[in-house]
Amino acid sequence: MSGSPSPSSISKRTQALLLSGLVFPGSGHFLLKRQARGCLFLVPALIALVLVLRQIMARLDQIMAQIDSGALPLDVQLIAEKVDALSANDGPAMTVAVGVLVACWIGSLIDTLLIKP
């Protein structure tokens, strides 16, 4: 019977790559018993993710307040334009946070590939 390989037939490195790539940066390192290296990717990525989510939530609060007050009608096009306008004012902090998150994700994958078994 053919099908997908059983979890035991997938190498630890492949499992770690999948964890780091699909779940969160550095998570695969924990599977490989490299907790310190995993934390080097996980902690900054987590901080960056929190900053990005806080910025998004602040933007959402502004839009919801305008909708609640009646200043912004329930029109998808107008709401999308407002989101774009608010996004243009994010500043460098959001760019840096997204960059750190992406760099941690890519770095985690590369590092997992380079770890000696």
Side-chain angles (χ1 to χ4, degrees):
M1 177 168 150
S2 67
S4 63
S6 67
S8 61
S9 68
I10 300 174
S11 73
K12 286 275 192 195
R13 178 176 289 174
T14 302
Q15 291 176 22
L17 279 168
L18 288 171
L19 273 173
S20 289
L22 300 175
V23 177
F24 204 74
S27 58
H29 287 76
F30 288 87
L31 179 68
L32 298 174
K33 309 283 191 255
R34 305 287 178 108
Q35 290 84 358
R37 285 175 91 161
C39 285
L40 289 174
F41 296 104
L42 192 134
V43 171
L46 189 59
I47 292 169
L49 181 62
V50 167
L51 293 173
V52 168
L53 290 176
R54 286 184 66 195
Q55 182 68 29
I56 290 170
M57 292 304 294
R59 194 180 305 149
L60 178 62
D61 285 343
Q62 286 179 307
I63 291 171
M64 289 303 296
Q66 290 181 8
I67 291 171
D68 287 343
S69 71
L72 184 61
L74 278 175
D75 180 326
V76 175
Q77 182 66 31
L78 291 174
I79 293 171
E81 289 171 7
K82 188 66 173 177
V83 168
D84 287 342
L86 289 173
S87 298
N89 298 327
D90 280 341
M94 183 71 142
T95 304
V96 169
V98 170
V100 167
L101 187 57
V102 170
C104 286
W105 227 302
I106 293 169
S108 174
L109 292 171
I110 292 170
D111 191 59
T112 301
L113 280 171
L114 297 177
I115 288 176
K116 301 278 187 229

